[in-house]
Amino acid sequence: MPVMHFRVRWPDNSELNCYSPSLVIKDFLTPGERYPLGDFMNRSREALNIASERVRAKYGFACSSAMDQLAELEARAQIFSTTPDAQIEVLGFEE
């Protein structure tokens, strides 16, 4: 399966390089776009769960790396959960 990395910028201007085991992330996020925190997390959850299930369909087991990435995003999102109008910017993709 093609691996995809996507880079995001958080409300504090920190950046995070993220992992997806599938190109499906491109169907949910667009480079240069800013997403409200909740929307970004909903899109990331759905995309990473789909990607993990694609790994399961091909190899017989879910992708633990995709679930680890989702857990990291959830933890970071929690930090900004009380920040008014928190937005996440998608900086780009790397295949």
Side-chain angles (χ1 to χ4, degrees):
M1 298 194 77
V3 169
M4 167 70 65
H5 289 91
F6 58 104
R7 191 155 189 83
V8 299
R9 181 176 293 133
W10 294 89
D12 65 355
N13 288 320
S14 64
E15 296 180 7
L16 182 64
N17 194 38
C18 303
Y19 169 86
S20 172
S22 166
L23 302 179
V24 72
I25 197 75
K26 287 182 165 184
D27 295 339
F28 291 86
L29 300 174
T30 303
E33 290 291 319
R34 292 175 182 261
Y35 298 92
L37 180 62
D39 185 30
F40 172 79
M41 288 309 303
N42 287 337
R43 290 167 180 268
S44 296
R45 281 184 205 103
E46 188 169 355
L48 290 170
N49 278 306
I50 290 170
S52 181
E53 288 305 311
R54 287 183 178 180
V55 170
R56 183 190 309 277
K58 186 168 185 175
Y59 298 107
F61 52 86
C63 181
S64 61
S65 294
M67 295 301 92
D68 290 345
Q69 182 61 74
L70 181 55
E72 183 177 14
L73 290 172
E74 296 280 5
R76 292 280 300 185
Q78 186 61 38
I79 294 168
F80 301 106
S81 64
T82 60
T83 302
D85 302 319
Q87 293 192 341
I88 310 304
E89 181 180 4
V90 178
L91 300 175
F93 294 130
E94 183 179 317
E95 293 181 45

